[in-house]
Amino acid sequence: MNPVDISNILLNENGYFYKKKKSKIAKSDIEKLFRQCLTDKAANKSYEPMIRASLFESGKEVAKYSVLIFDYQQRPSFMKADAHLWERKTGLFIILEHLDYLAVIRKNVSGAHHLYQIVEEIDYSILTNFMVTDTSKFEKIISSNLNTAENATQTKSAEGIDLKGVMSRFSISKQIINAVRLDNGGEKSSITLNTSRVNSLNIRNDFEPALFWLIKIIKLIDVAYKAPKTNSFVAGFAKPLVFSTEIKTLQPKFLFLRFQSVKDALEAGLISDAFTQDDKGKKNKVDLVAFLDSNSKLFSLTRYDARTYSHGNTSIKLNLNTISFRDPSFQEIQVSFGGPDSVSLQEYINLQQQFIVTFDKPDYAYTHRKIFQDHRLLEDLDIFMDTFIAEPHLAKVTSEKGKTTKTSKIFSARSIFGYLESKYLSTVDCMICDDMGTEWGDHISVKGDEITFYHSKYDKPGLSATKLEVVFGQAQKNLAFIAMTDEMVSKRALRWSSNYSKTSIPRIRKHDGSGMTPIESVKRSIARAAGSGNLQAKVYVVINFLSKSQLSASLAKVKGGETFHDQGVTLQILWFVNSLLASANDIGARFKIICRP
């Protein structure tokens, strides 16, 4: 078997970086990694592996490196059976050891499970800051939202010459960075945080210069560990905390399963198969996308024991430094990545760690192996309270829409619907009552360039997160309808042209008379506003049971660190409002809550 000719190897400056769990990696560890890699691919050694060779600089050894080049065959992805057709591929596995770190360059490598027995991933707070200077430009940021509302934006991608000063301060405190592309004086690099991958945008280089690039990155990481620093722009994002410390004072409340990493792998063609297997070894194909979509939801958790919280068959377990997810249906499904081996979907999700767990403290959330804090949630309470509009009349209402009959032509003045119409009908161009059935909102109004959706709910006065959850869930879901197209409106024309349920109250409560019929006038008003470059979308939740002053007093106690009877409810309300506020902010809509003073 021929030795590796390293002078014939061209490499991208693209590596995965880890911290050693032990001070020294044994030769047997490298050999085991290489064996696992070959076994997973049913591969053959193309060259004699290099194990822990020395890399020299100015005659002095600065690092150890190991190289495995192998070839293997696989069935073409477009063939169901072998059909005597095979694709021949070549894999490359390079491991570099320097200081307390290990760097990996890999191509067509899988199955090296022993790697995570000897290393750990670089900490999130290090990866987000180690290459950042005061003059760094943030060209691209991909982030995940800590908002667990099912219809909220889960992942955001922003790109520009420099995103500092462009991204909203309110938004970024609720996001964690998944990936970032930096420009440091013309040197551009991308960092993918959940895989500890760093990529220079330079073209391919010779073998040794590429290894010295790995060493350069390792030295920057090492400096960041020894002298931690936080860039002021990066600090605006959700704050990473030490899991083992914070988990002692937190109680899990909700689990939100989101599967963007699995869908990304499907989109990239990395996942080749998903199946279940019976006792006789027969494989049954699984529609993985449909399965993921049906399980992408929020689970309310209850405590099972000191380390386990569950919802039916779904549960989470609190480990020393992470949270793991468990569900028998996920354990049954196997996913494969082009080789003969497979892993359970549960194991893959736990490896990716992109689910979210929220706690009894609403500013804390777990994802990506860390606990994060929305550090602005309690700091911005004054701004938060500006979301609420105090309306004295709502203390006098006695129902949501009042009693109606076949001859009713208006809603009761003592109802929330009646209040809304008396308050806003005279000031808008048109208003529709869309309540009942598959509604977009209880009321929708247009005024010039403004389109407003109103969601109303009546209940007995008092601080209650449960009461809010219903109306907020409706408002969250119906954010999708704010961008009203002509086609969408046309499909509502018959409904809006009718009377409100079993009454003589026209659903079109007002129109501007610009069309030949009320519905044509409404269509024209909506088209004019929706097509305007100055469109202002608004979402109002109108409730009688919540008092702005009472909530403000309770939140002041929370901020002051007091313990009181309605503390849990107050925290839940804060979380619900903040989640919907963030979702509205994502689509450029203004969100307000009209309530009792």
Side-chain angles (χ1 to χ4, degrees):
M1 190 175 296
N2 296 325
V4 174
D5 180 8
I6 60 175
S7 66
N8 196 34
I9 296 177
L10 282 173
L11 299 173
N12 290 105
E13 293 178 346
N14 181 348
Y16 299 82
F17 295 84
Y18 307 93
K19 197 171 185 181
K20 296 177 186 176
K21 290 184 177 179
K22 300 182 294 184
S23 60
K24 185 177 181 180
I25 303 295
K27 179 181 178 181
S28 60
D29 288 319
I30 305 297
E31 291 173 336
K32 185 172 183 178
L33 283 169
F34 284 178
R35 282 198 305 272
Q36 287 181 339
C37 177
L38 293 170
T39 301
D40 183 72
K41 297 291 188 183
N44 301 307
K45 298 176 185 176
S46 301
Y47 296 92
E48 184 68 33
M50 299 180 67
I51 308 291
R52 306 198 76 236
S54 297
L55 179 67
F56 293 95
E57 184 177 28
S58 301
K60 181 181 179 181
E61 183 185 87
V62 292
K64 293 283 190 183
Y65 66 89
S66 304
V67 182
L68 173 68
I69 299 177
F70 57 92
D71 62 274
Y72 63 99
Q73 291 182 315
Q74 70 177 26
R75 185 176 70 246
S77 59
F78 52 83
M79 302 293 291
K80 289 196 295 184
D82 295 345
H84 306 294
L85 292 174
W86 295 87
E87 293 177 335
R88 182 186 176 103
K89 292 193 173 185
T90 301
L92 173 67
F93 197 2
I94 298 174
I95 300 172
L96 179 129
E97 305 165 56
H98 180 66
L99 300 176
D100 295 326
Y101 305 89
L102 185 146
V104 169
I105 295 176
R106 64 191 190 200
K107 179 177 174 62
N108 296 328
V109 170
S110 61
H113 309 299
H114 184 61
L115 180 65
Y116 294 99
Q117 301 298 315
I118 60 176
V119 299
E120 59 188 31
E121 292 180 334
I122 305 300
D123 187 80
Y124 172 94
S125 58
I126 300 298
L127 286 174
T128 49
N129 288 282
F130 84 100
M131 293 190 76
V132 179
T133 69
D134 292 339
T135 58
S136 294
K137 294 180 179 179
F138 292 79
E139 290 190 340
K140 184 176 183 179
I141 293 177
I142 300 174
S143 59
S144 293
N145 202 334
L146 294 181
N147 187 347
T148 55
E150 292 182 21
N151 287 342
T153 302
Q154 294 183 16
T155 303
K156 300 180 183 180
S157 180
E159 197 164 357
I161 295 175
D162 189 2
L163 295 172
K164 292 196 302 287
V166 175
M167 299 184 75
S168 164
R169 187 187 80 160
F170 174 81
S171 295
I172 66 174
S173 69
K174 297 158 182 61
Q175 298 172 41
I176 64 169
I177 299 174
N178 291 337
V180 60
R181 186 172 72 229
L182 297 171
D183 180 352
N184 285 316
E187 290 189 17
K188 299 180 187 288
S189 304
S190 65
I191 305 164
T192 307
L193 280 82
N194 66 325
T195 59
S196 296
R197 176 174 172 261
V198 181
N199 180 24
S200 167
L201 272 60
N202 294 329
I203 58 175
R204 291 190 296 177
N205 213 335
D206 288 334
F207 182 81
E208 286 201 354
L211 295 195
F212 280 110
W213 175 82
L214 295 177
I215 291 174
K216 171 187 170 184
I217 299 300
I218 286 174
K219 287 180 177 178
L220 289 173
I221 292 172
D222 189 53
V223 168
Y225 266 111
K226 291 176 178 176
K229 60 178 181 178
T230 301
N231 175 267
S232 58
F233 175 60
V234 173
F237 287 82
K239 181 180 179 181
L241 304 169
V242 178
F243 178 89
S244 58
T245 301
E246 300 299 330
I247 197 63
K248 296 174 183 177
T249 63
L250 298 172
Q251 182 177 341
K253 286 291 186 182
F254 294 96
L255 166 68
F256 183 49
L257 293 177
R258 58 184 185 187
F259 305 107
Q260 68 266 31
S261 63
V262 186
K263 291 180 178 179
D264 287 346
L266 283 167
E267 186 177 354
L270 299 178
I271 295 178
S272 59
D273 200 8
F275 58 91
T276 58
Q277 196 165 2
D278 61 24
D279 296 339
K280 296 180 180 180
K282 181 183 177 181
K283 292 182 179 180
N284 298 298
K285 190 175 180 63
V286 171
D287 185 339
L288 189 56
V289 173
F291 179 82
L292 296 176
D293 285 346
S294 65
N295 285 280
S296 182
K297 55 188 176 182
L298 190 68
F299 297 87
S300 177
L301 299 172
T302 56
R303 181 170 175 167
Y304 179 77
D305 59 37
R307 299 175 61 193
T308 308
Y309 292 78
S310 63
H311 180 104
N313 291 327
T314 303
S315 64
I316 61 169
K317 181 180 179 182
L318 308 184
N319 306 308
L320 183 62
N321 292 304
T322 62
I323 293 177
S324 55
F325 158 77
R326 295 176 178 179
D327 189 299
S329 61
F330 285 76
Q331 181 65 30
E332 289 176 1
I333 296 175
Q334 297 287 308
V335 291
S336 58
F337 304 88
D341 289 345
S342 62
V343 298
S344 72
L345 181 59
Q346 176 178 290
E347 182 181 351
Y348 184 65
I349 289 171
N350 280 321
L351 179 65
Q352 296 294 315
Q353 287 273 300
Q354 291 198 16
F355 54 84
I356 294 181
V357 176
T358 58
F359 304 94
D360 51 339
K361 295 181 181 179
D363 48 338
Y364 289 80
Y366 171 89
T367 186
H368 289 62
R369 295 184 179 83
K370 291 198 76 73
I371 291 175
F372 291 87
Q373 182 186 23
D374 177 359
H375 53 91
R376 301 223 63 90
L377 189 62
L378 295 178
E379 291 181 22
D380 289 341
L381 285 183
D382 291 341
I383 299 174
F384 172 82
M385 288 309 300
D386 288 342
T387 305
F388 295 82
I389 299 173
E391 174 52 68
H393 186 83
L394 288 174
K396 303 175 184 177
V397 298
T398 57
S399 66
E400 183 176 304
K401 59 200 73 170
K403 292 182 179 180
T404 57
T405 66
K406 290 182 179 180
T407 60
S408 298
K409 294 184 179 181
I410 60 172
F411 293 104
S412 166
R414 296 291 300 275
S415 69
I416 295 180
F417 279 25
Y419 152 74
L420 263 178
E421 294 188 1
S422 64
K423 176 83 173 180
Y424 294 106
L425 270 180
S426 62
T427 64
V428 299
D429 301 329
C430 71
M431 179 179 281
I432 308 109
C433 178
D434 198 36
D435 179 48
M436 301 293 284
T438 55
E439 62 192 55
W440 291 356
D442 291 320
H443 285 81
I444 302 168
S445 72
V446 179
K447 178 183 179 182
D449 296 329
E450 298 178 2
I451 296 178
T452 306
F453 280 54
Y454 303 87
H455 301 276
S456 304
K457 182 170 177 58
Y458 174 88
D459 217 313
K460 294 180 181 179
L463 288 177
S464 171
T466 304
K467 296 172 186 176
L468 273 183
E469 187 175 6
V470 176
V471 67
F472 274 30
Q474 181 185 23
Q476 176 80 49
K477 179 184 66 176
N478 290 346
L479 288 174
F481 299 120
I482 284 184
M484 292 188 286
T485 64
D486 292 344
E487 182 181 9
M488 291 168 64
V489 172
S490 293
K491 290 181 178 179
R492 307 295 277 187
L494 183 62
R495 172 184 171 87
W496 289 350
S497 297
S498 66
N499 288 340
Y500 181 72
S501 177
K502 299 179 181 180
T503 72
S504 298
I505 303 173
R507 284 191 176 275
I508 297 177
R509 308 300 298 130
K510 183 184 179 182
H511 62 91
D512 65 2
S514 61
M516 296 179 63
T517 63
I519 189 61
E520 292 302 320
S521 295
V522 167
K523 285 183 179 180
R524 186 170 299 185
S525 293
I526 292 175
R528 184 174 60 243
S532 171
N534 296 315
L535 169 65
Q536 297 180 50
K538 297 181 178 181
V539 178
Y540 284 2
V541 167
V542 189
I543 51 180
N544 72 298
F545 52 86
L546 186 66
S547 162
K548 179 177 180 178
S549 60
Q550 185 182 3
L551 178 61
S552 179
S554 293
L555 287 172
K557 293 179 182 178
V558 171
K559 190 171 183 179
E562 295 183 41
T563 301
F564 57 100
H565 175 68
D566 287 326
Q567 182 176 6
V569 172
T570 303
L571 289 170
Q572 281 186 292
I573 292 173
L574 178 62
W575 182 81
F576 281 138
V577 175
N578 198 61
S579 294
L580 187 49
L581 189 59
S583 296
N585 183 270
D586 286 341
I587 63 170
R590 184 183 181 188
F591 173 60
K592 293 288 184 180
I593 299 169
I594 305 175
C595 62
R596 289 189 298 115

